[in-house]
Amino acid sequence: MSTGPLSTGPLHARPLQAGSRVSVVGCGYLGAVHAAAMVQLGHTVVGIDPDLDRSAGLARGEAPFYEPGLDAMLRAGLASGRLCFSRDIADARDATLHFLCVGTPQAQGRLAADLSFVHSAVDDLLRILKPGDVVAGKSTVPVGTAAGIADQVAARGGTLVWNPEFLREGFALPDTLRPDRVVVGVPDGPDGERARDLLAAAYGPVLDTAPLIVTDYATAELVKVAANAFLATKISFINAMADLCELAGGDVVQLAEALGHDSRIGRRFLQAGLGFGGGCLPKDIRAFMHRAGELGADQALTFLSEVDAINTRRRLKTVAMVEEWLDHRVLGARVAVLGAAFKPDSDDIRDSPALAVAEALHLRGAEVVVTDPRARANAQRRSPQLRYADSAEEAATDADVVLLLTEWRDFVELDPEVLGKVTARQRVLDARNALDRDAWSAAGWEVRCPGRAPVGA
Ligand code: UGA
């Protein structure tokens, strides 16, 4: 996926058809970004979301989450008169292409995905669908979901396609407008071909650089979950190597570099550390395992339970490293936590490894002070028992140990000399292997990192 700067003007759009409109049903992360991107591509878009706060905020050009560039793109779309938001599905009546973008969280107390938002959005759409309309499912769903919905859409004269989304938080706009690929699962026959052509026209210039992969529903659904399963596996693989490096005296960062030079392996997603979190990878691999079990293929994916277990152990291990460093005198120890978001450039704290570690140390009696450039408010709502600071310096004041848990650029670029003046002890656990540890150790810090030998003092 491209990460370069986006042009601010509209891309050269090939409009769907004069007067045709696009609806985006579900305006959470995926939908809000997709709606803004579709306007950028020259379309007229109505975003539908029943949540009053969310639709009202979006209508003011304010996304309910932090995503670089999104608010500006929403405001440009609103100002163009080609973007609006509504709570009422009836306002999607004029659209010919409807993108289904609702969430599929992990079901309560189960590994499966909760599809209730998908089914209720489809029920809503069925009320307003016209013959010839195309519904493009973008939500991440268990394989077989599209086939179960297709007949309902066809009964109204519409066609369902499945068009999974691969955007990353923090890079959502470039990933949507300049993706690595566009995948679309279509039914056999002329309706499928017509729907494919409509979708291709909607993506217009996006397809100048991204291949369009046309396939069946099942493959399209599987591409998404298989991609997330592969990425999760890559992360857990390098984290398992970090454990090996610690015991054998190797260096996981150098190992990842050397592995990454092999173009069959690649360096990306080999960043060893605290492991993966967020609203996608953890729940998607679980839902994938669950679905495999339903299909009678649970053994095919048992390796994913180990991927999950390795990942969960990263958090416990990080807590254990801190305890050991504090000679197991955690009670009353002051711990500065840099980062609460599940990754940098996001205010998302869903299944955040950073917050999990902060909470666990608090439970063990540490005095934990957390700071995060964007996720502080969300973290404070979820974990009010922790203390919060406005800056790394404030969080680190009198700290016995500093933990880098989310590698925000602000933290990676901290001046170790300056920070060293406010802490009680110069000890930093770089749980993301992101700091320049030579610079930190030269400034008098003891530096510990997963999968590497400790340096300093
Ligand atoms: C992920 C996928 O990367 C997207 O392609 C997909 O569209 C999205 O899920 C989704 O299903 O909606 P995202 O959750 O935004 O995107 O975040 P990632 O960039 O994949 O990072 C996930 C987690 O892995 C983060 O906690 C990150 O810190 C961690 N990570 C990532 C590592 O620990 N090591 C790495 O080398 C890379």
Side-chain angles (χ1 to χ4, degrees), residues 97-181:
L97 175 58
H98 308 273
F99 287 101
L100 187 61
C101 294
V102 294
T104 52
Q106 186 171 341
Q108 262 185 336
R110 302 169 62 215
L111 295 185
D114 174 357
L115 293 181
S116 57
F117 298 111
V118 172
H119 292 306
S120 86
V122 170
D123 288 346
D124 287 348
L125 271 171
L126 292 176
R127 291 197 277 117
I128 57 109
L129 225 51
K130 309 175 294 304
D133 280 4
V134 171
V135 176
K138 293 196 74 63
S139 308
T140 301
V141 291
V143 58
T145 305
I149 299 169
D151 287 349
Q152 295 172 279
V153 173
R156 299 286 161 142
T159 306
L160 178 75
V161 300
W162 213 262
N163 172 221
E165 179 56 58
F166 304 98
L167 66 82
R168 297 159 298 168
E169 295 187 16
F171 297 95
L173 294 170
D175 282 354
T176 305
L177 290 167
R178 291 203 293 269
D180 287 340
R181 74 297 212 189

Side-chain angles (χ1 to χ4, degrees), residues 1 140 165-169 224 228 231 235 239 268-272 274-281 284 342-344 353 407 432:
M1 288 166 217
T140 301
E165 179 56 58
F166 304 98
L167 66 82
R168 297 159 298 168
E169 295 187 16
K224 173 59 194 263
N228 277 1
L231 294 170
I235 298 168
N239 283 331
R268 294 172 75 187
F269 276 71
L270 282 185
Q271 191 64 27
L274 190 46
F276 59 83
C280 301
L281 262 44
D284 284 354
F342 85 106
K343 69 172 192 179
E407 68 279 31
R432 292 291 183 178

Side-chain angles (χ1 to χ4, degrees), residues 375-428:
R376 175 181 164 165
N378 286 341
Q380 209 153 5
R381 262 190 296 278
R382 188 181 99 182
S383 307
Q385 73 278 24
L386 305 176
R387 281 180 56 192
Y388 292 88
D390 288 332
S391 66
E393 287 78 8
E394 188 187 330
T397 300
D398 299 331
D400 296 300
V401 59
V402 175
L403 314 184
L404 176 74
L405 302 187
T406 312
E407 68 279 31
W408 283 93
R409 182 191 270 242
D410 292 11
F411 300 149
V412 174
E413 291 179 352
L414 279 168
D415 184 337
E417 298 273 0
V418 174
L419 206 70
K421 292 197 167 65
V422 301
T423 53
R425 299 281 302 266
Q426 285 183 267
R427 296 192 288 208
V428 62

Side-chain angles (χ1 to χ4, degrees), residues 189-343:
D191 287 345
E193 284 168 22
R194 201 188 62 81
R196 173 203 64 199
D197 292 347
L198 190 80
L199 199 78
Y203 281 108
V206 168
L207 298 178
D208 291 345
T209 50
L212 177 68
I213 296 161
V214 182
T215 181
D216 50 73
Y217 289 147
T219 307
E221 292 165 320
L222 281 168
V223 174
K224 173 59 194 263
V225 284
N228 277 1
F230 191 83
L231 294 170
T233 303
K234 226 178 154 185
I235 298 168
S236 279
F237 176 84
I238 200 65
N239 283 331
M241 295 304 111
D243 284 346
L244 262 291
C245 282
E246 280 171 27
L247 294 170
D251 185 301
V252 76
V253 174
Q254 286 183 344
L255 177 70
E257 288 298 332
L259 287 173
H261 283 295
D262 185 331
S263 58
R264 294 169 303 173
I265 298 174
R267 176 67 175 86
R268 294 172 75 187
F269 276 71
L270 282 185
Q271 191 64 27
L274 190 46
F276 59 83
C280 301
L281 262 44
K283 65 112 176 147
D284 284 354
I285 60 169
R286 291 170 192 163
F288 200 14
M289 284 186 271
H290 180 85
R291 184 66 184 134
E294 286 178 341
L295 291 169
D298 41 1
Q299 280 191 344
L301 296 190
T302 41
F303 75 95
L304 285 180
S305 63
E306 194 50 41
V307 166
D308 203 0
I310 291 170
N311 192 54
T312 308
R313 283 203 294 272
R314 303 313 296 170
R315 303 171 187 198
L316 302 175
K317 186 158 185 186
T318 303
V319 173
M321 280 171 89
V322 177
E323 288 181 305
E324 190 203 316
W325 213 354
L326 293 170
D327 293 326
H328 298 277
R329 286 195 282 269
V330 182
L331 192 68
R334 176 115 182 213
V335 179
V337 167
L338 308 185
F342 85 106
K343 69 172 192 179

